[in-house]
Amino acid sequence: GEISNDPITFNTNLMGYPDRPGWLRYIQRTPYSDGVLYGSPTVENVGKPTIIEITAYNRRTFETARHNLIINIMSAEVDFPLPYQAEFFIRNMNVEEMLASEVLGDFLGAVKNVWQPERLNAINITSALDRGGRVPLPINDMKEGVYVMVGADVPFSSCLREVENPQNQLRCSQEMEPVITCDKKFRTQFHIDWCKISLVDNTKQVSTFQEVIRGEGILPDGGEYKPPSDTLKSRDYYSDFLITLAVPSAIALVLFLILAYIMCCRREGVEKRNMQTPDIQLVHHSAIQKSTKELRDMSKNREIAWPLSTLPVFHPVTGEIVPPLHTDSYDNTSMPLMQTQQ
């Protein structure tokens, strides 16, 4: 993709397995950037050749290519012991930027300037995301950070020891920048978080290995061994049946009978209730029932009776019968109860 700048995606895995070894990591930011393999093998991996299958996929032409990368892991700890190890957290770098040879060389040069060791090597480089860090905001110059562990053959310098001062420890607990005299030697290119620096002195580590005293391999005499009998005794499950089924069933039956007696056999009835109720209360109750029934009957009948003012009357002088003001065909449902005087 270098000629036509095609987007290419790489996949890496251990030959014969779907994933990479546990110590090996891979990162590729975009299909237009390079893929980076990095990691630090352990002592168990020394002497074992590791074959990594790399598959490239061209996202424009859909072509694929495969290449095998053979990694030979050799031990250098015996010939070059580095007991003094310091881990730095660089905030303005990503892991693939630090893995570049010129950037890593500049960082080791700055560390060597403040440490003054005879031998100085990078032991491990880890992304902050692998240590539980968070993805930074999509803002320019915001990096996820990288941890770089270096080892040397001489004790730590006074500048590196300044992070262990009580004043700087207090400032770190208050989320303030500690005062480090040699920070200006890194600040031009590397922004180091001095509160996250870790200093390890392997020469002072106390071995926790305890010597195991081996015995003769003979167990003490515990008597003659008696294995369990092959025949099993028959077990009576009648008592278990009574406890699990019969007893709960009997209790449920008793409760059912008590409830049935209360609901059915102890009902008072209407006559007994009327005998225990005062007469005046029964009269009021009967009147309320009668009024309610009458109102219901009236609501069923939608016909409205003619008012008295609409009926035929006698003239007081002539004695003639005066007809009603409205005929029988008048809609009685909209007739007013009182007529306007003429």
Side-chain angles (χ1 to χ4, degrees):
E2 295 180 358
I3 300 176
S4 58
N5 194 23
D6 293 340
I8 297 179
T9 303
F10 299 96
N11 294 324
T12 60
N13 63 280
L14 183 64
M15 178 175 286
Y17 295 90
D19 202 355
R20 297 174 301 275
W23 59 269
L24 188 61
R25 302 182 185 277
Y26 170 73
I27 185 172
Q28 184 184 13
R29 296 289 177 179
T30 63
Y32 294 96
S33 60
D34 294 336
V36 180
L37 280 169
Y38 67 99
S40 297
T42 59
V43 181
E44 292 78 8
N45 305 116
V46 174
K48 300 178 181 179
T50 303
I51 303 177
I52 303 297
E53 292 182 341
I54 302 176
T55 304
Y57 172 68
N58 193 320
R59 304 175 69 90
R60 187 182 67 85
T61 63
F62 303 103
E63 297 179 358
T64 58
R66 179 170 295 180
H67 177 72
N68 293 336
L69 175 64
I70 302 176
I71 303 176
N72 294 318
I73 303 172
M74 297 177 294
S75 177
E77 196 67 26
V78 179
D79 299 334
F80 304 98
L82 303 174
Y84 303 96
Q85 300 175 0
E87 187 178 54
F88 299 86
F89 177 65
I90 306 173
R91 292 179 292 185
N92 64 328
M93 288 285 177
N94 288 335
V95 61
E96 68 273 12
E97 297 174 348
M98 180 55 64
L99 288 170
S101 59
E102 61 276 6
V103 178
L104 182 59
D106 295 341
F107 177 74
L108 293 179
V111 175
K112 193 171 184 179
N113 190 16
V114 301
W115 199 340
Q116 300 296 331
E118 296 182 3
R119 292 192 301 270
L120 182 70
N121 289 332
I123 298 177
N124 189 15
I125 300 177
T126 308
S127 173
L129 300 181
D130 298 332
R131 298 286 188 89
R134 301 178 62 181
V135 178
L137 296 175
I139 304 176
N140 294 333
D141 299 332
M142 290 290 292
K143 306 293 184 179
E144 62 192 28
V146 59
Y147 289 90
V148 180
M149 178 179 286
V150 297
D153 57 348
V154 297
F156 303 107
S157 63
S158 58
C159 173
L160 298 179
R161 288 292 186 182
E162 290 179 359
V163 297
E164 299 177 349
N165 294 340
Q167 295 81 3
N168 288 330
Q169 293 293 329
L170 179 61
R171 294 178 67 88
C172 288
S173 63
Q174 297 176 353
E175 297 184 358
M176 299 174 60
E177 287 288 340
V179 179
I180 306 297
T181 56
C182 59
D183 180 58
K184 58 183 179 181
K185 297 182 179 180
F186 295 92
R187 183 65 62 175
T188 56
Q189 187 176 1
F190 306 99
H191 296 172
I192 297 178
D193 190 347
W194 293 100
C195 291
K196 293 185 179 181
I197 189 173
S198 175
L199 304 178
V200 179
D201 187 357
N202 293 325
T203 60
K204 295 182 180 181
Q205 292 183 357
V206 180
S207 176
T208 58
F209 175 75
Q210 296 181 358
E211 184 179 359
V212 179
I213 301 176
R214 300 183 180 276
E216 299 178 355
I218 302 176
L219 296 176
D221 188 10
E224 184 179 359
Y225 174 70
K226 295 181 181 179
S229 177
D230 296 337
T231 59
L232 298 177
K233 296 181 180 180
S234 60
R235 182 178 176 181
D236 188 10
Y237 292 95
Y238 182 74
S239 59
D240 297 341
F241 169 76
L242 293 178
I243 295 175
T244 57
L245 294 179
V247 174
S249 301
I251 295 174
L253 180 61
V254 172
L255 295 177
F256 175 76
L257 293 177
I258 294 173
L259 182 62
Y261 173 73
I262 294 174
M263 298 295 295
C264 300
C265 301
R266 294 187 61 84
R267 298 184 63 181
E268 296 180 353
V270 178
E271 296 181 358
K272 186 176 182 179
R273 183 198 63 186
N274 294 339
M275 292 176 63
Q276 296 178 356
T277 305
D279 295 340
I280 186 63
Q281 188 175 355
L282 291 177
V283 172
H284 290 170
H285 179 70
S286 177
I288 292 174
Q289 283 186 336
K290 183 177 179 180
S291 300
T292 303
K293 182 176 182 301
E294 186 175 353
L295 290 174
R296 289 178 178 176
D297 293 341
M298 292 176 62
S299 64
K300 294 179 181 179
N301 186 10
R302 302 182 63 86
E303 295 293 336
I304 299 177
W306 290 95
L308 296 178
S309 59
T310 61
L311 297 178
V313 294
F314 291 94
H315 195 275
V317 179
T318 60
E320 296 178 353
I321 298 177
V322 180
L325 299 179
H326 302 281
T327 59
D328 294 340
S329 62
Y330 185 75
D331 187 6
N332 54 13
T333 58
S334 60
M335 180 184 300
L337 296 180
M338 298 183 64
Q339 302 296 330
T340 304
Q341 295 181 0
Q342 300 293 333

